[in-house]
Amino acid sequence: MEYISVKGLDKKVSRLMKGTDYFYHNAYDKAAANMDAYLAIGGNSVDSAHIYCGGESEEVLGRYMKERGNRDQIVILTKGAHHDQNGPRVNKEAIRHDITTSLKRLQTDFIDLYALHRDDPNVPAGEVIEILNEYVKSGTVGAIGCSNWTWQRIKEANDYAAEKGLTGFTFNSPNLSLAKANEPFWKGCVSADAETCSWHEAEQFPLFSWSSQARGFFTGRFTPEIRDNADLVRVFYSDANWERLERAKQLGAERGVTAIQIALAYVLNQPFPTCALIGAQSAEELRSCDEGSRIQLSRAELDWLDLTSDQR
């Protein structure tokens, strides 16, 4: 397993991050077994959120760490300030509520990586930085970041932090995958486009990709004629993505790996620090991700897969 460093955190972060958006109390044994298997291959970073599974995701993770006595081995990434039925919640009261609740559920007094799950462009980025710095200064949170923020808003926040001598964002968690999104998967979500990736490269700013494997687009199950998954059709069905799939299959056949492993490698071989959030729920899926994370791709191969070049 490879790891990256994130400013503000002493621990290294594994490049495969375990997703927990299926951790429920009534399936605790499955979640625990999945965590054991993930840690066994060298993974140490777990992605959760205040809203996942109605709060059960964090509770199950907290129970698991307490029963195993392994809190110190795990890097917790959790998120808050997601909107609700009344609209955006990027404000001091909501952030305090979500952090306090997450700490209780996780049965810990420290969150390694804390991200705002959504943005509210009506709130000045500097105001958000001021709020989050209270938790950094108190030792409640290690590194702060964001999910589904544009790079321009991140820059605005970090310019403010630099001017005021405060801690800025040190990681970003948008969608990044070989398949490019036609539109947001959910309203308010952000996918990393070419401009975003160029900014990340220039800044060498860590990116944690959700839906890193495009929600199964590269498994081989889907074709232009198979349209039973409305969300996948809406977000990822396009002529360009079908060509990316064909190229992933071709390169995979040459390497003796699968197209979905090539898609994972695409995320992990970007010219800036990346981690991939994975949803592996079985030994076979975890093995596939582990093997995919070891594939090395050249810049020319990345460009070819991404349809920006016909040479590799």
Side-chain angles (χ1 to χ4, degrees):
M1 181 71 66
E2 293 184 344
Y3 306 83
I4 69 168
S5 296
V6 176
K7 187 177 180 181
L9 191 66
D10 292 335
K11 298 176 185 176
K12 296 287 189 177
V13 178
S14 59
R15 300 197 69 199
L16 293 180
M17 305 184 80
K18 182 77 183 75
T20 65
D21 199 12
Y22 65 96
F23 279 20
Y24 289 96
H25 291 298
N26 63 8
Y28 176 77
D29 289 344
K30 175 183 177 180
N34 286 177
M35 282 296 301
D36 288 342
Y38 169 71
L39 295 176
I41 65 168
N44 73 343
S45 305
V46 184
D47 169 65
S48 190
H50 180 268
I51 67 164
Y52 284 175
C53 307
E56 291 187 43
S57 169
E58 290 179 326
E59 290 174 350
V60 167
L61 180 57
R63 173 185 171 186
Y64 171 81
M65 293 187 297
K66 183 177 182 181
E67 290 187 359
R68 296 294 194 272
N70 62 3
R71 168 67 184 93
D72 291 343
Q73 301 173 32
I74 293 175
V75 173
I76 297 173
L77 163 62
T78 199
K79 304 178 289 293
H82 194 283
H83 58 259
D84 61 14
Q85 67 276 10
N86 298 314
R89 297 176 59 252
V90 182
N91 57 67
K92 189 168 188 175
E93 293 72 24
I95 292 171
R96 179 187 295 114
H97 172 273
D98 290 4
I99 287 180
T100 302
T101 304
S102 291
L103 289 167
K104 182 177 180 180
R105 292 172 178 167
L106 292 163
Q107 301 187 54
T108 187
D109 59 2
F110 178 72
I111 296 170
D112 304 271
L113 302 164
Y114 192 76
L116 298 182
H117 210 161
R118 287 288 194 276
D119 189 14
D120 180 359
N122 293 314
V123 179
E127 183 177 321
V128 177
I129 288 294
E130 293 277 3
I131 295 168
L132 291 175
N133 266 256
E134 295 179 21
Y135 299 96
V136 174
K137 290 175 182 176
S138 70
T140 303
V141 169
I144 55 174
C146 49
S147 181
N148 301 303
W149 281 47
T150 64
W151 72 266
Q152 292 94 337
R153 282 278 286 173
I154 298 171
K155 182 179 184 300
E156 178 188 344
N158 283 358
D159 286 349
Y160 179 91
E163 179 185 346
K164 300 294 184 180
L166 299 172
T167 297
F169 291 138
T170 57
F171 65 92
N172 180 28
S173 184
N175 162 244
L176 171 65
S177 65
L178 177 55
K180 306 309 174 190
N182 302 319
E183 61 181 74
F185 208 91
W186 297 283
K187 184 178 180 181
C189 287
V190 172
S191 290
D193 58 13
E195 189 178 75
T196 301
C197 289
S198 293
W199 179 81
H200 273 271
E201 182 177 2
E203 298 294 322
Q204 287 299 296
F205 199 80
L207 185 153
F208 306 157
S209 171
W210 56 264
S211 289
S212 58
Q213 294 169 299
R215 305 186 77 81
F217 182 82
F218 293 92
T219 60
R221 176 181 179 274
F222 300 100
T223 69
E225 295 73 36
I226 297 174
R227 308 179 69 85
D228 58 345
N229 187 319
D231 282 330
L232 210 68
V233 171
R234 175 177 59 86
V235 178
F236 290 122
Y237 276 35
S238 70
D239 290 343
N241 282 339
W242 294 123
E243 176 60 24
R244 292 184 179 100
L245 173 58
E246 288 305 311
R247 293 190 180 195
K249 288 179 179 178
Q250 180 182 329
L251 185 56
E254 294 172 8
R255 296 286 193 92
V257 298
T258 63
I260 198 166
Q261 288 174 319
I262 291 293
L264 179 62
Y266 169 85
V267 172
L268 295 176
N269 279 272
Q270 293 296 310
F272 48 86
T274 56
C275 296
L277 277 57
I278 59 170
Q281 298 186 35
S282 69
E284 181 180 357
E285 290 175 350
L286 185 60
R287 176 194 55 76
S288 173
C289 291
D290 187 28
E291 293 174 355
S293 73
R294 302 172 191 274
I295 298 170
Q296 298 295 313
L297 298 176
S298 68
R299 186 69 177 258
E301 287 171 326
L302 291 173
D303 291 342
W304 181 75
L305 286 167
D306 213 12
L307 309 186
T308 59
S309 171
D310 288 326
Q311 303 296 323
R312 64 179 171 92

